[in-house]
Amino acid sequence: MTDVFVNNKFSGTINDPKEFVERIISERRMGKLPISANVTYFEDLNEVHVETCSGRAIRPLIVVKDGKSTLTDKYIEQLEKNEITWSDLLKQGVIEYLDTLEEESTLVAFREEDLTAEHTHLEIAPITIFGLATSLVPFGNFNHGVRLNQGSKNQKQAIGFYVSNFFTRLDMDVNLLHYPQRPIAETIMHSTLEFNKHPTGQNVVVAIMSYQGYNMEDAIVINKGSIDRGLARSTYYRPVISEELRYSGGLIDEIGIPDKEVKGYRSEHDYRYLEEDGIIFPEAKVTEGDVIIGKTSPPRFLSSMDEYNLTTSSRRESSMVLKHGEIGVVDFVVVTENSEGNKLIQVRLRDNRIPEIGDKFTSRHGQKGVISYVVPEQDVPFTADGIKPDIIFSPHGIPSRMTVSHLIELIGGKVGALSGRYIDGTIFDSEKEEDLRQELLKLGFRENGTEVLYNGITGEQYPVQIFIGDMYYLKLKHMVANKIHSRARGPIQLLTRQPTEGRAKEGGLRLGEMEKDTFVAHGASLLLKERFDSDKTIVPVCENCGIIAVYDGRKERSFCPICGDEVEISNVEVSYAFKLMLDEFKSLLVYPKLVLEGKY
Amino acid sequence: MKLFKEFEDKLPENILEEVKANLPDKCSESRTRKILEAVYKEYKSSVADPGENVGLVGAESIGEPGTQMTLNTFHFAGVSEMNVTTGLPRLIEILDARKTIKTEITEIFLKKPYNEGKDIKEIAESLKETLFRSFLKEISINIASLQMTIELDEQKIKNAKLTPIKITKILEKSVKSFKFQLEKDKPIINVKSSSKDIALNEIYKLKESIKDIFVTGIKGIKQVLPVKRGSEFMIVTAGTNLKEILKLDFIDTCRTTSNNLYEIEKLFGIEAVRQAIMNEVMKVLDAQGIDIDMRHIMLVSDTMCMSGRLLGINRYGIVKEKPSVLARASFETPIKHIINASLRGEVDSLNSVIENVMLNQPIPVGTGLPGLVTKVK
Ligand SMILES: [Zn+2]
């Protein structure tokens, strides 16, 4: 007796589990059961599990019968003539989907040549064991698996040509690469995905050498001449959206240039780009503090006085303003309505991004790095033919990470660029390294890809040959222009009077608990005090009752709210956060009494 | 030695002794003076400066290597059942002063003939806590006569150097409401109720409870393991009962100890705990190959024992003992601490670091410690 579980619920027993499993599989192949139904027999537990629920990862495999693939030449011919489709193969039981459980009871052959009588399934192609992004890594089967994962992760962050209709779209936070290229070293997935319709990088000449120590620790050195010719330029699009919201009581936002009486009016200079309708005109160059869409809103809280006095003066200013550190050019303005019928303004800003120190780049093999130096073109090393590398990559990144595919792509790219063809780098089925080397030799280069290079500064020949070739490089969306931040003084929070947090709010950088400990450990007591001075205040304290007194600006003296002004009141320097804490104690009905001592 | 007398005020006794012992054979007075002066200079430069934040430096010095420690338990070679918690879990256990620790260990050193391996196996076995269940062969209940018969395992009784008669007496002592009668020449005990009217389920209850009756050995000693350390034989046990173990005559009472800090506190007092904490922490750190200066650990140990009781480094231990309200409130559950402090009318004199950071005052440490005193009038 074997227990049968359907979707992990016990549903009965059977006598011959093996026959039962076989029948379910054969009925599924005949199309009597859904293709996503999977069945497994656990011999050690003596249980049969049937799974039909959603949320399982399933993958297609070719069914093998008696050591022979059921996907015969006849089917392939029909497929080539477009007479049958994928679903026909599924219906005829040539291909079936397996989940991870049923896969345990199978023996899958990697290639058709490997098939034996014991095999139950055959991979459609070796590359199908990888995911979509991973199979885009050329020569990936020469790599460590970890690097393959990192390489595919990096590719997802690459700037490219993500859609063709970007002109008419208003996407949030989008980058667009100028002059994207189809990679020279491709895999079969590039053509399957029509990668050349939305490429993500550019083919560049890479020399693997060090350059005055600038490319240590994964940094890359880039040729200024290449940047000037347009390498890795991109556009950053950022939308500014505002709508006329409706409030209770028939009140409504108003898009337009705000009146000078409006609460919170900015300077006239800030509104200078707005046209009569209160919206900025296209091609206006804007920087932080500039108003993009002028808007006023009704007052937040109507006091009894204001209700009789609904003039413009009670409205408040709520324009869309460019935040700290943001610059751009107005690219595109849309005036429309949202689904509720409110007026909706969408403005798209564009910012041209030229590669600069700190921008992140990567090859497709998990070899990411940031630009550390932009070399003037005349200082870039050159080959005997006068070829100058676009990017100089450090050799120290190679041995410990063992990204062999990085090196093979370099040779492959070189061959492809010289002979004017695309190189097939499909994982497990790529062109052979030996063939590529021989082809390179025939093209008049050293077969190992190295060349004699000359120092661009002195003109001297380098004592060693340098490995140089072509590679596909990707610019990643992490650019310094979006991240660079510093602050000497700036805005503070209303409640605590401590600096705001975050780049967008021009915030300070937190000196945390553990950082504080380092000051304490060094005994740097006064330095620590100075670092935490950002919210210091001077408060008057009543020496009689120990409560914080009130300063009367008109009389220019302090008085105690409890004891009056006939007591001694001293000024004490504390952090504002402490004063706030004392106030919170009072709200807990705890009386915090300050006992002052030792003025001298 | 007149010279050494001179340095008595300047150098601690044990350093002077060490210098004395290591002096070259023929050492002139001037050379000895030079040596002592060099030692004194070195000693002075090793002393922590006034205002040095030894606590925080200690915390960082222990905390940083602590991040590298692995979370593994160490297995005794050959005996898979006996393992010892080491690494970070054990360190947390010690510094937290946990009442119940994961693996209690006693290291029993033996007196002269036994530490050379004499009867080591028998001695070890005799320490092990043995319950009645291990001498059982079968228990059967006669429902009609409300009687229970227990068949004993003679071989096992012999191994434990006991007799069926002794076992029967132990049973009689611990179970009062039943009568136990040993059959002649047979290792079978008949059990009868002393009173006549008795429920059947009471016999069933007895059948289970009788198995856990303590027969021989030392209570709390779950496992014993004779080991050879260096040239000496000793016994390592899982579970502790130092009070009983120390009563045994073949044990070297000077060196035998356990890893249960509360047991040590109870038996030997707080000074012994202070040393035990240091020993246990060093044992963990040595096993991990981590080198931390002993003085950091001494400071931790001192802090834990300072109040005269063993206190852990946590909310219930030394943090609770902190005199500053604000320091306690900044650690955990601030409102509770503030309200309790206000009920008692506590005063915070702002003597420590964290309160002064909160108030943005110079902390009384390092450069913030010295003050300038002037007379105004
Ligand atoms: Zn007062």
Side-chain angles (χ1 to χ4, degrees):
Chain A
M1 293 291 263
T2 308
D3 294 345
V4 180
F5 294 83
V6 178
N7 291 332
N8 289 317
K9 273 189 186 145
F10 176 74
S11 49
T13 55
I14 45 163
N15 284 327
D16 191 348
K18 284 197 174 144
E19 189 258 325
F20 178 75
V21 167
E22 266 166 37
R23 228 178 86 203
I24 286 188
I25 290 173
S26 71
E27 301 223 330
R28 180 181 65 206
R29 285 177 187 166
M30 284 190 284
K32 286 181 184 168
L33 286 170
I35 49 162
S36 60
N38 288 106
V39 62
T40 332
Y41 172 52
F42 294 98
E43 259 175 78
D44 46 348
L45 295 169
N46 198 24
E47 283 173 4
V48 172
H49 282 254
V50 182
E51 293 279 352
T52 60
C53 56
S54 57
R56 292 167 297 134
I58 56 174
R59 71 191 201 97
L61 289 167
I62 299 168
V63 174
V64 170
K65 266 181 192 152
D66 307 322
K68 269 184 193 137
S69 166
T70 51
L71 185 74
T72 51
D73 294 344
K74 192 186 87 196
Y75 283 116
I76 291 167
E77 252 171 56
Q78 282 178 307
L79 278 168
E80 276 170 351
K81 286 181 198 157
N82 275 331
E83 285 168 8
I84 53 168
T85 59
W86 178 259
S87 51
D88 293 316
L89 292 177
L90 279 174
K91 273 176 204 154
Q92 296 186 31
V94 175
I95 283 171
E96 65 180 353
Y97 283 100
L98 298 188
D99 71 349
T100 46
L101 271 185
E102 191 171 335
E103 224 176 7
E104 289 292 314
S105 59
T106 58
L107 183 63
V108 184
F110 201 49
R111 295 171 193 277
E112 198 157 6
E113 306 93 85
D114 302 341
L115 279 175
T116 65
E118 283 167 19
H119 283 104
T120 59
H121 292 85
L122 172 65
E123 293 282 357
I124 293 166
I127 201 169
T128 54
I129 67 170
F130 293 112
L132 200 139
T134 312
S135 48
L136 291 175
V137 179
F139 306 103
N141 51 317
F142 293 93
N143 265 5
H144 197 200
V146 175
R147 291 287 143 192
L148 220 52
N149 282 332
Q150 287 174 354
S152 59
K153 232 182 253 169
N154 290 337
Q155 286 199 66
K156 291 172 196 165
Q157 300 175 354
I159 294 172
F161 193 72
Y162 71 107
V163 283
S164 310
N165 63 340
F166 65 92
F167 257 127
T168 56
R169 293 167 65 105
L170 275 158
D171 293 311
M172 299 286 284
D173 198 26
V174 162
N175 293 283
L176 202 72
L177 184 68
H178 300 186
Y179 309 112
Q181 292 175 353
R182 180 180 164 189
I184 295 176
E186 291 183 314
T187 73
I188 195 168
M189 286 305 279
H190 285 89
S191 53
T192 313
L193 293 170
E194 300 189 322
F195 191 78
N196 58 341
K197 284 192 180 167
H198 50 88
T200 60
Q202 290 168 326
N203 293 297
V204 296
V205 178
V206 176
I208 299 189
M209 61 184 289
S210 74
Y211 188 83
Q212 298 181 9
Y214 276 106
N215 54 356
M216 62 168 79
E217 290 291 337
D218 282 350
I220 56 168
V221 169
I222 197 161
N223 183 344
K224 177 132 200 306
S226 314
I227 293 174
D228 291 345
R229 279 176 229 117
L231 175 77
R233 279 182 194 225
S234 60
T235 299
Y236 178 58
Y237 289 113
R238 175 194 303 127
V240 177
I241 301 165
S242 187
E243 58 182 317
E244 281 186 346
L245 288 173
R246 285 168 201 280
Y247 302 92
S248 58
L251 299 167
I252 188 166
D253 286 343
E254 215 168 85
I255 288 174
I257 302 175
D259 226 52
K260 282 192 176 161
E261 277 91 61
V262 157
K263 214 186 278 172
Y265 184 79
R266 318 175 93 86
S267 73
E268 217 165 292
H269 177 262
D270 290 336
Y271 298 108
R272 68 190 183 282
Y273 292 124
L274 301 190
E275 295 187 315
E276 279 151 39
D277 57 359
I279 306 165
I280 202 161
F281 59 86
E283 299 306 320
K285 278 188 182 172
V286 287
T287 55
E288 62 176 269
D290 288 340
V291 174
I292 310 293
I293 303 163
K295 193 168 83 171
T296 56
S297 299
R300 245 190 220 125
F301 307 106
L302 282 175
S303 62
S304 53
M305 283 273 280
D306 293 337
E307 263 181 76
Y308 307 102
N309 188 24
L310 267 180
T311 53
T312 43
S313 61
S314 61
R315 292 183 74 82
R316 65 196 160 84
E317 130 87 28
S318 59
S319 302
M320 298 303 294
V321 185
L322 222 50
K323 281 182 198 149
H324 170 69
E326 294 181 344
I327 54 162
V329 177
V330 177
D331 189 54
F332 191 47
V333 177
V334 180
V335 180
T336 179
E337 273 183 359
N338 71 2
S339 53
E340 287 155 24
N342 298 334
K343 193 177 181 185
L344 176 70
I345 315 293
Q346 291 185 306
V347 177
R348 187 173 67 186
L349 301 179
R350 116 176 87 84
D351 185 18
N352 192 29
R353 292 284 164 84
I354 299 166
E356 56 180 320
I357 290 177
D359 281 359
K360 197 175 175 187
F361 284 77
T362 185
S363 73
R364 287 174 289 175
H365 315 278
Q367 289 281 13
K368 55 176 189 276
V370 293
I371 299 179
S372 61
Y373 185 40
V374 180
V375 202
E377 186 165 21
Q378 63 270 21
D379 292 348
V380 177
F382 51 91
T383 69
D385 297 332
I387 298 287
K388 293 176 175 177
D390 300 304
I391 284 172
I392 301 176
F393 176 86
S394 168
H396 300 287
I398 303 283
S400 59
R401 297 183 192 145
M402 299 182 281
T403 50
V404 178
S405 62
H406 189 91
L407 306 175
I408 300 177
E409 193 200 332
L410 204 83
I411 293 181
K414 195 170 184 176
V415 172
L418 288 165
S419 58
R421 67 183 182 90
Y422 292 102
I423 304 294
D424 184 12
T426 305
I427 306 181
F428 296 115
D429 291 314
S430 55
E431 291 183 32
K432 294 215 159 47
E433 184 201 340
E434 194 50 43
D435 298 347
L436 290 171
R437 280 170 174 245
Q438 288 311 315
E439 199 175 339
L440 195 59
L441 194 63
K442 274 184 204 144
L443 287 161
F445 285 84
R446 216 176 265 112
E447 55 97 39
N448 61 10
T450 61
E451 281 179 53
V452 171
L453 256 71
Y454 297 89
N455 188 323
I457 299 168
T458 64
E460 287 168 332
Q461 183 185 325
Y462 283 112
V464 288
Q465 274 101 48
I466 305 293
F467 191 44
I468 184 169
D470 288 70
M471 280 194 85
Y472 198 59
Y473 250 79
L474 317 162
K475 185 186 186 185
L476 302 183
K477 63 183 180 187
H478 306 288
M479 285 173 284
V480 265
N482 293 333
K483 298 189 172 175
I484 192 166
H485 175 53
S486 67
R487 156 175 173 151
R489 61 192 100 88
I492 52 166
Q493 279 165 14
L494 205 64
L495 183 70
T496 59
R497 296 202 189 168
Q498 284 173 359
T500 50
E501 212 173 335
R503 190 181 104 105
K505 284 178 253 167
E506 209 192 337
L509 297 164
R510 166 173 250 108
L511 186 103
E513 176 112 27
M514 290 175 100
E515 290 77 19
K516 174 215 80 181
D517 286 350
T518 61
F519 284 101
V520 176
H522 279 90
S525 173
L526 298 163
L527 179 61
L528 178 71
K529 178 183 175 294
E530 216 166 272
R531 254 308 320 235
F532 284 136
D533 260 357
S534 59
D535 66 338
K536 78 167 175 194
T537 41
I538 290 172
V539 290
V541 176
C542 170
E543 297 221 22
N544 186 33
C545 65
I547 239 159
I548 288 173
V550 183
Y551 179 71
D552 185 340
R554 230 180 309 165
K555 289 181 191 163
E556 291 189 356
R557 57 177 303 187
S558 307
F559 66 93
C560 172
I562 299 171
C563 320
D565 46 11
E566 295 301 309
V567 284
E568 195 170 349
I569 288 169
S570 305
N571 287 329
V572 178
E573 186 196 297
V574 291
S575 61
Y576 188 80
F578 180 66
K579 190 240 157 204
L580 181 72
M581 189 173 77
L582 295 184
D583 292 341
E584 287 182 4
F585 285 173
K586 287 174 206 159
S587 74
L588 285 171
L589 300 181
V590 170
Y591 171 20
K593 184 175 179 178
L594 299 179
V595 182
L596 306 183
E597 65 166 32
K599 254 186 245 176
Y600 304 105
Chain B
M1 282 282 246
K2 229 168 62 198
L3 250 177
F4 282 92
K5 267 253 159 68
E6 215 175 283
F7 279 86
E8 246 169 26
D9 301 336
K10 293 175 177 173
L11 286 170
E13 204 177 332
N14 58 339
I15 290 182
L16 279 177
E17 290 296 322
E18 206 181 321
V19 174
K20 221 181 256 179
N22 290 310
L23 272 185
D25 287 342
K26 278 177 191 164
C27 195
S28 68
E29 191 152 316
S30 62
R31 255 186 91 193
T32 317
R33 177 178 289 279
K34 267 186 186 167
I35 290 169
L36 280 169
E37 265 162 10
V39 169
Y40 177 60
K41 206 176 153 197
E42 193 70 22
Y43 174 73
K44 250 181 102 179
S45 69
S46 324
V47 173
D49 295 321
E52 176 105 51
N53 202 326
V54 285
L56 205 130
V57 173
E60 285 181 349
S61 303
I62 298 171
E64 194 276 330
T67 58
Q68 303 166 24
M69 280 204 268
T70 46
L71 293 160
N72 55 5
T73 52
F74 164 74
H75 293 264
F76 264 99
V79 185
S80 57
E81 309 95 74
M82 202 148 146
N83 52 35
V84 189
T85 28
T86 56
L88 204 60
R90 176 64 185 146
L91 200 65
I92 292 167
E93 221 171 60
I94 301 165
L95 300 183
D96 249 10
R98 296 264 166 86
K99 278 258 154 57
T100 48
I101 58 177
K102 270 187 198 142
T103 48
E104 289 182 313
I105 302 275
T106 315
E107 288 184 342
I108 301 170
F109 289 88
L110 303 165
K111 273 186 186 159
K112 191 74 205 241
Y114 305 102
N115 68 1
E116 284 154 1
K118 192 187 175 231
D119 303 333
I120 186 86
K121 269 194 178 158
E122 287 76 21
I123 292 175
E125 271 314 308
S126 72
L127 294 175
K128 196 173 168 181
E129 176 187 86
T130 319
L131 303 179
F132 185 58
R133 73 169 72 229
S134 51
F135 301 110
L136 276 178
K137 221 175 200 176
E138 206 186 344
I139 300 181
S140 51
I141 294 173
N142 188 334
I143 299 171
S145 59
L146 290 175
Q147 267 195 358
M148 186 162 76
T149 35
I150 303 165
E151 198 184 340
L152 298 171
D153 190 326
E154 267 187 299
Q155 193 56 43
K156 279 186 180 159
I157 291 170
K158 222 180 217 175
N159 287 350
K161 290 185 180 162
L162 287 167
T163 57
I165 304 166
K166 268 189 189 166
I167 287 180
T168 318
K169 272 182 185 159
I170 290 167
L171 289 178
E172 270 171 353
K173 245 189 194 169
S174 36
V175 187
K176 290 274 152 63
S177 52
F178 285 87
K179 275 182 186 165
F180 297 85
Q181 208 166 27
L182 191 67
E183 274 184 28
K184 262 188 186 173
D185 304 329
K186 266 189 202 162
I188 289 170
I189 306 175
N190 290 312
V191 188
K192 242 189 186 174
S193 172
S194 354
S195 59
K196 286 229 166 137
D197 44 327
I198 175 201
L200 181 67
N201 67 343
E202 265 181 63
I203 296 184
Y204 275 103
K205 267 187 205 160
L206 180 72
K207 184 188 166 187
E208 290 311 311
S209 64
I210 203 169
K211 289 178 183 168
D212 291 327
I213 287 173
F214 169 75
V215 179
T216 179
I218 291 172
K219 263 187 194 168
I221 306 294
K222 298 283 181 304
Q223 273 171 32
V224 288
L225 186 71
V227 289
K228 194 176 179 188
R229 232 174 250 173
S231 58
E232 191 178 12
F233 281 89
M234 55 178 293
I235 299 166
V236 180
T237 71
T240 69
N241 192 347
L242 263 188
K243 200 178 170 187
E244 294 299 318
I245 289 172
L246 291 173
K247 284 178 188 165
L248 301 169
D249 54 350
F250 53 83
I251 269 157
D252 184 351
T253 46
C254 294
R255 291 186 292 159
T256 298
T257 184
S258 84
N259 66 349
N260 186 332
L261 298 177
Y262 283 96
E263 191 176 33
I264 291 171
E265 188 192 8
K266 217 162 109 191
L267 286 176
F268 304 115
I270 197 74
E271 285 295 327
V273 183
R274 192 189 91 97
Q275 189 61 43
I277 292 169
M278 297 195 292
N279 293 350
E280 289 294 319
V281 172
M282 283 317 274
K283 225 188 264 174
V284 175
L285 298 178
D286 285 344
Q288 300 277 328
I290 289 168
D291 185 36
I292 297 176
D293 196 298
M294 187 67 197
R295 279 165 286 190
H296 298 310
I297 294 145
M298 284 164 81
L299 186 70
V300 173
S301 187
D302 281 341
T303 314
M304 288 172 74
C305 302
M306 187 173 61
S307 67
R309 291 176 297 136
L310 178 59
L311 292 176
I313 300 181
N314 54 31
R315 194 157 29 136
Y316 318 101
I318 60 165
V319 175
K320 206 173 153 191
E321 304 283 312
K322 272 191 187 173
S324 164
V325 189
L326 294 177
R328 269 180 281 137
S330 72
F331 185 66
E332 264 172 357
T333 55
I335 292 178
K336 199 181 99 187
H337 283 292
I338 296 294
I339 290 189
N340 285 340
S342 81
L343 289 175
R344 287 187 224 119
E346 274 184 56
V347 178
D348 193 324
S349 46
L350 308 180
N351 283 330
S352 147
V353 173
I354 188 77
E355 306 97 278
N356 286 292
V357 170
M358 286 165 90
L359 267 76
N360 195 24
Q361 302 294 318
I363 50 170
V365 149
T367 54
L369 192 62
L372 203 57
V373 182
T374 49
K375 271 188 184 167
V376 184
K377 281 169 195 173

